[in-house]
Amino acid sequence: MTSAIVSVSKESRLFDPPAEFSVRAKIGSREVYEGMYRRSIEDPDGFWGEVAAELYWFDPPKTVRQWDPPKARWFEGGTTNLAYNCLDRHVTAGAGEKRALVFEGEPGDIRTFTYAELLRETCRTANALRRLGVSAGDRVVIYMGMVPEAAIAMLACARIGAIHSVIFGGFAADAVRDRVNDAGAKLIITQDGAWRRGKVVPLKEQVDRALTSCPSVEHTIVLRRTHNEIVMQPGRDHEWSVVVDRASDQCDAVPVTSEHPLFILYTSGTTGKPKGVLHTTGGYMVGTYVTTKYVFDLRDDDIYWCTADVGWVTGHSYIVYGPLANRATALMYEGAPNYPEPDRFWDVIARHKVTVFYTAPTAIRAFIRWGDAHPRRHDMSSLRLLGSVGEPINPEAWMWYRDVIGGGRCPIVDTWWQTETGAIMMAPLPGAIATKPGSCTLPFFGVVPKIVRHDGSDAEPNEGGYLVIEQPWPSMLRTVWGDDERFRQTYFSRFPGRYFTGDGARRDNDGYFWVMGRVDDVVNVAGHRLGTAEIESVLVAHPNVAEAAVVGRPDELKGQALVAFVTLKADVNATDELREQLADHVAAEIGKFARPDAIRFADALPKTRSGKIMRRLLGELASGQAPKGDTTTLEDISVLAALRDDDE
Ligand code: WT7
């Protein structure tokens, strides 16, 4: 039996949870975790029923879960409201004066919202939506930057049962148009512009362009943020300062059924039609609430900062809904990490005394490239916990994160999940689980991940394979908006009855999971199916390398040959000698078969707007083709042009 994917990682470092962390943690030992995990699998109804009961329901659920693959229904018979659980519940409990959101704009302006204030603003916005004809089940597109009003707009939709679809502010008119039309949105909430690296990103202008072909949209609400000149179309476009600010701050939360749709979020797809992942109310609420509670081990006085954009699922689940459902104080930062200087994040952490910091490997690699001097200049002793999400984190970046940012004292929670899963699926509980650099460790409660072979049989320990999830979980996607068949095809047809993640992974002898990235990113070299992420990880471990992407190109002899695109650290010269050195380094670390056939130095790698390297485009380049697939999710098109010029 040949394995689906060969794993070549040799990482063996192990870090126990610090004792002083464990004593204060909600879950303080491996034994407690295991007991709770076992219960969540053996008695899911009991386990999830109790978690759900920690939240507010207008009518309590009559059943916990119904599973008729691929259709899951959770907490049927229950009615609730997510905005009520994030706001009213805390105000009613006497926590109205606690800070809910602390906002720092890129220009340096700071605004805070207590829970009582956030509730009032949410009510005003909900009333404005209603006055413009929005009611339960209608779709509202939110196309904004990272401003508190984006979170308020989401909560306002949830409050009246409208379905929000946040479109990342980095997308341009065409992408906005496609998503608005797929969702059939009635209203768009946007802003004049957003701040990014000192410049204005003109959002309203993009909306105007999109709206020339979006027949379903009746109104827009426009927040003034950057004060650039915009055109307001009378009757269609409304000022936030008028329709929201002058609305009443009283608006009862609408009880909705547990399976009432909460939001549609389009995934950064690689081909064709945008894929609208649909999440519903009760299960998503319970999933984001309980994962935030245990994975970030929140304490009442934490200042929690997730650096994701609200336009991605991480922003939905871990800036807005999870933290607010837990009555946390969440920080929101508007701008770029290197504005005005590459130490902006560390400056924010020091000034706001951030205690929990959650960011992405792509950002961590950029910080490494910019140099240690920036973080070293700031007092970050307030930090107690670090998180990572979005990609496999290579062990060297993990170690840097731990030492330079965490001062060697903060546990790192490497959280594996997806837009589709809604909430964290695998992660170390920081007071209970020893960590290994690059592993997301063990499943969260109720999650049953398996590694399987091509034919669906179980892989052996350490044998690379496909990552599937066996049981339903509360926050799982319910369908692809308007396309049940695509939902079934994409997630439940490869291994019938089981959810296919699209990722390759292996499980080690201790039962720890190591996610190797998308299975589309597997390269077949002379019969070895290699996960490119592991080769990249070895390249990044070389002291001169900042970032690497490995792809295959057709090769007559070997099936596929390996091509590595490499960006170097700031002060390193790209020489042929270094190229040889790097190839030798991979051969020495992994084996001769993995020695890259070509190494190409690049100033930057093409990435999606959420920071994922677009290996598909690099593969096309490496094969000597002009990139032909969809490039609308590409962050910076000039990166691609530069790589092509390099070719000639
Ligand atoms: C894909 C999901 C989850 C929110 C942000 C991305 C990769 C994500 C990890 C991790 C290894 C990871 C996977 C996954 N991924 N987190 N901790 N370790 N890989 O959401 O855009 O839906 O992407 O990101 O490949 O399938 P997304």
Side-chain angles (χ1 to χ4, degrees):
M1 166 65 65
T2 55
S3 24
I5 306 158
V6 180
S7 174
V8 294
S9 158
K10 293 181 192 145
E11 181 55 48
S12 61
R13 285 167 284 200
L14 183 75
F15 295 91
D16 283 324
E20 63 281 10
F21 194 102
S22 298
V23 280
R24 289 193 56 190
K26 293 197 166 65
I27 297 178
S29 73
R30 174 96 186 223
E31 293 66 45
V32 176
Y33 157 77
E34 272 168 9
M36 288 175 75
Y37 180 75
R38 209 173 312 117
R39 161 124 200 270
S40 74
I41 303 306
E42 288 167 5
D43 176 21
D45 282 18
F47 180 86
W48 289 113
E50 280 166 27
V51 176
E54 292 177 28
L55 295 158
Y56 182 83
W57 299 80
F58 296 94
D59 303 294
K62 293 200 174 58
T63 61
V64 173
R65 58 170 208 167
Q66 289 167 45
W67 180 224
D68 179 13
K71 289 283 171 186
R73 303 184 71 81
W74 284 83
F75 309 117
E76 288 263 81
T79 61
T80 187
N81 184 289
L82 186 43
Y84 185 96
N85 273 286
C86 288
L87 302 170
D88 310 56
R89 190 164 61 93
H90 309 314
V91 174
T92 309
E97 295 315 304
K98 180 173 178 179
R99 289 181 304 169
L101 270 187
V102 177
F103 168 75
E104 176 160 321
E106 194 184 75
D109 50 324
I110 292 170
R111 278 194 289 162
T112 53
F113 293 81
T114 63
Y115 273 94
E117 287 165 344
L118 199 61
L119 172 57
R120 286 198 290 273
E121 291 310 310
T122 298
C123 288
R124 284 200 175 94
T125 310
N127 283 325
L129 289 173
R130 279 212 173 124
R131 281 218 21 213
L132 293 171
V134 175
S135 53
D138 287 342
R139 275 78 63 206
V140 172
V141 158
I142 299 171
Y143 176 64
M144 303 181 84
M146 284 285 287
V147 290
E149 286 81 359
I152 291 166
M154 293 163 73
L155 290 161
C157 289
R159 194 165 190 82
I160 61 173
I163 305 168
H164 61 68
S165 185
V166 182
I167 300 177
F168 174 57
F171 281 120
D174 285 4
V176 174
R177 179 201 58 209
D178 291 348
R179 287 159 178 74
V180 165
N181 286 335
D182 188 77
K186 205 167 178 180
L187 186 143
I188 300 183
I189 307 180
T190 188
Q191 55 193 78
D192 48 2
W195 289 117
R196 188 77 187 173
R197 277 191 199 93
K199 297 206 178 68
V200 172
V201 181
L203 296 176
K204 175 62 163 64
E205 202 182 299
Q206 301 294 329
V207 170
D208 290 341
R209 269 193 230 153
L211 285 189
T212 57
S213 42
C214 293
S216 60
V217 175
E218 295 167 11
H219 296 285
T220 76
I221 299 178
V222 185
L223 175 80
R224 300 278 179 164
R225 169 67 183 151
T226 46
H227 303 283
N228 49 315
E229 210 173 298
I230 54 171
V231 182
M232 294 289 280
Q233 185 176 305
R236 185 192 75 182
D237 299 339
H238 308 269
E239 299 280 354
W240 179 288
S241 61
V242 177
V243 288
V244 174
D245 291 352
R246 294 190 196 159
S248 153
D249 63 6
Q250 300 293 314
C251 172
D252 285 344
V254 174
V256 297
T257 58
S258 182
E259 285 298 335
H260 185 76
L262 177 70
F263 68 81
I264 302 166
L265 186 58
Y266 289 90
T267 56
S268 41
T270 44
T271 48
K273 204 168 153 330
K275 188 163 68 188
V277 167
L278 180 74
H279 284 287
T280 58
T281 304
Y284 176 84
M285 169 174 85
V286 168
T288 52
Y289 161 75
V290 73
T291 50
T292 305
K293 174 176 171 178
Y294 291 124
V295 176
F296 298 110
D297 195 44
L298 287 181
R299 300 175 189 165
D300 192 41
D301 56 358
D302 270 323
I303 308 289
Y304 162 94
W305 183 21
C306 166
T307 69
D309 193 283
V310 284
W312 310 122
V313 74
T314 309
H316 286 56
S317 301
Y318 298 109
I319 295 178
V320 182
Y321 293 121
L324 295 179
N326 278 280
R327 199 189 291 175
T329 299
L331 188 117
M332 189 173 180
Y333 167 63
E334 179 181 39
N338 54 353
Y339 189 85
E341 296 295 329
D343 67 344
R344 181 62 180 265
F345 276 13
W346 323 128
D347 181 46
V348 168
I349 289 174
R351 277 187 290 105
H352 293 277
K353 302 211 166 15
V354 170
T355 57
V356 180
F357 179 64
Y358 189 29
T359 195
T362 181
I364 295 169
R365 289 191 300 264
F367 304 143
I368 296 174
R369 189 171 191 200
W370 296 337
D372 295 9
H374 300 294
R376 299 244 190 250
R377 205 178 306 133
H378 295 275
D379 174 8
M380 297 197 282
S381 56
S382 56
L383 288 174
R384 65 178 194 88
L385 179 63
L386 303 175
S388 169
V389 62
E391 284 177 89
I393 178 167
N394 45 289
E396 291 323 307
W398 194 99
M399 289 303 297
W400 183 91
Y401 195 29
R402 177 187 149 85
D403 293 339
V404 180
I405 305 306
R409 85 190 162 270
C410 305
I412 297 178
V413 289
D414 176 359
T415 63
W416 178 87
W417 59 295
Q418 309 177 299
T419 304
E420 293 86 343
T421 69
I424 292 168
M425 300 290 276
M426 293 197 267
L429 300 183
I433 308 296
T435 52
K436 302 183 185 187
S439 168
C440 59
T441 74
L442 300 172
F444 190 76
F445 305 131
V447 176
V448 186
K450 279 272 164 65
I451 313 287
V452 299
R453 300 178 177 137
H454 293 297
D455 62 0
S457 62
D458 286 353
E460 297 290 324
N462 285 318
E463 179 185 340
Y466 303 103
L467 177 63
V468 301
I469 313 287
E470 296 222 308
Q471 296 288 324
W473 63 98
S475 63
M476 69 193 290
L477 82 164
R478 297 302 194 262
T479 190
V480 170
W481 179 254
D483 201 341
D484 278 347
E485 181 48 28
R486 190 171 178 197
F487 164 66
R488 202 194 54 77
Q489 267 291 335
T490 311
Y491 305 106
F492 288 92
S493 67
R494 180 70 182 78
F495 301 102
R498 297 188 276 191
Y499 172 83
F500 178 41
T501 64
D503 281 351
R506 77 182 160 95
R507 192 167 197 183
D508 70 16
N509 290 323
D510 300 328
Y512 277 43
F513 285 85
W514 299 76
V515 175
M516 299 189 268
R518 312 296 299 169
V519 287
D520 319 338
D521 296 331
V522 164
V523 182
N524 196 330
V525 184
H528 305 278
R529 286 173 58 82
L530 297 168
T532 53
E534 290 186 341
I535 308 170
E536 290 159 9
S537 179
V538 166
L539 281 165
V540 176
H542 189 280
N544 292 345
V545 173
E547 193 154 43
V550 172
V551 297
R553 77 163 175 234
D555 183 275
E556 274 183 23
L557 274 180
K558 297 193 276 189
Q560 281 184 301
L562 292 175
V563 180
F565 291 81
V566 170
T567 59
L568 298 170
K569 289 207 179 131
D571 45 355
V572 180
N573 290 327
T575 61
D576 285 341
E577 201 189 330
L578 179 58
R579 195 173 270 133
E580 282 304 304
Q581 246 184 47
L582 292 177
D584 290 345
H585 170 68
V586 175
E589 290 291 312
I590 301 178
K592 283 214 175 89
F593 65 93
R595 191 178 202 279
D597 296 84
I599 290 186
R600 290 171 57 172
F601 294 118
D603 287 333
L605 299 174
K607 292 189 184 170
T608 64
R609 289 157 199 277
S610 60
K612 289 198 206 312
I613 297 169
M614 294 181 82
R615 292 183 185 74
R616 178 179 53 82
L617 293 179
L618 290 171
E620 288 163 1
L621 276 176
S623 316
Q625 307 160 8
K628 54 183 178 299
D630 180 23
T631 52
T632 57
T633 57
L634 187 64
E635 156 105 53
D636 178 1
I637 194 90
S638 66
V639 168
L640 206 57
L643 285 166
R644 284 169 76 174
D645 292 348
D646 191 47
D647 240 1
E648 270 128 42

